[in-house]
Amino acid sequence: EAGVTQSPTHLIKTRGQQATLRCSPISGHTSVYWYQQALGLGLQFLLWYDEGEERNRGNFPPRFSGRQFPNYSSELNVNALELEDSALYLCASSLFPARTANTEAFFGQGTRLTVV
Amino acid sequence: QKEVEQDPGPLSVPEGAIVSLNCTYSNSAFQYFMWYRQYSRKGPELLMYTYSSGNKEDGRFTAQVDKSSKYISLFIRDSQPSDSATYLCAMSGWGAGSYQLTFGKGTKLSVIP
């Protein structure tokens, strides 16, 4: 069974440009999470999508946005790139996290974004 | 106070040693607790998860949760060089109207042959 796949693996952009990152969840998973992992800062929560809707958002500016498609794949867009946006962007997927049962989240390999 | 605190290390141990990794948390909404392992330049992989206080064992790994103290641990017995990685604790639960999956900063572990 295929795991979470992310593309591209690496992305180099110039400051001020826009970046689009893509994620395909594990088959059957409806929830997709995006995290930013910058050096020394750990995983910072960006966005959570489920059934095509944004369910929760981390403490990031509006230029970080995304969407989830009917097939549950997801896209993260970062507008007006800044140097400090350089990081590993990780996508994870899971079943919908019901209130009464745990659901495990599985990660992709990430997209390394470098802003120059 | 951050929701999840994890000593970033780095932690260096000789092969065969017992490793203890720890996290504390402040949010009582967290009900499920996980440990992920992340090798350099890779995505995190789920090692263990638990939802109740007590111990859970899987091979050389033991996860321990103390909800009353808001403290979780991961023990690695007979550590191997292949265990060298960054270990992330993670916690999840419903609170403030939404589901949260929050990670510690990770502890970098090196097992020296």
Side-chain angles (χ1 to χ4, degrees), chain A residues 45-87:
Chain A
F45 169 68
L46 275 162
L47 292 157
W48 168 32
Y49 290 97
D50 187 84
E51 295 286 357
E53 292 187 17
E54 182 180 300
R55 300 290 183 142
N56 200 5
R57 182 182 180 84
N59 190 25
F60 279 83
R63 57 191 187 83
F64 287 84
S65 65
R67 54 180 171 167
Q68 186 178 35
F69 299 99
N71 66 354
Y72 304 118
S73 67
S74 178
E75 198 172 85
L76 174 69
N77 294 294
V78 187
N79 293 322
L81 284 165
E82 301 178 1
L83 296 178
E84 51 265 35
D85 296 333
S86 295

Side-chain angles (χ1 to χ4, degrees), chain A residues 9-25:
Chain A
T9 307
H10 294 87
L11 191 56
I12 299 176
K13 291 286 186 178
T14 303
R15 190 171 50 184
Q17 285 188 315
Q18 179 197 37
T20 298
L21 289 63
R22 296 181 176 83
C23 173
S24 292

Side-chain angles (χ1 to χ4, degrees), chain B residues 51-66:
Chain B
Y51 59 88
S52 57
S53 285
N55 294 351
K56 182 178 181 179
E57 195 172 309
D58 183 2
R60 296 185 295 111
F61 298 89
T62 299
Q64 190 176 79
V65 174
D66 182 347

Side-chain angles (χ1 to χ4, degrees), chain B residues 30-65:
Chain B
F30 290 140
Q31 295 295 313
Y32 306 106
F33 306 91
M34 293 146 279
W35 287 94
Y36 285 80
R37 178 175 63 195
Q38 186 176 23
Y39 291 112
S40 182
R41 310 186 80 81
K42 300 287 187 184
E45 61 174 317
L46 181 64
L47 269 180
M48 297 188 71
Y49 78 92
T50 185
Y51 59 88
S52 57
S53 285
N55 294 351
K56 182 178 181 179
E57 195 172 309
D58 183 2
R60 296 185 295 111
F61 298 89
T62 299
Q64 190 176 79
V65 174

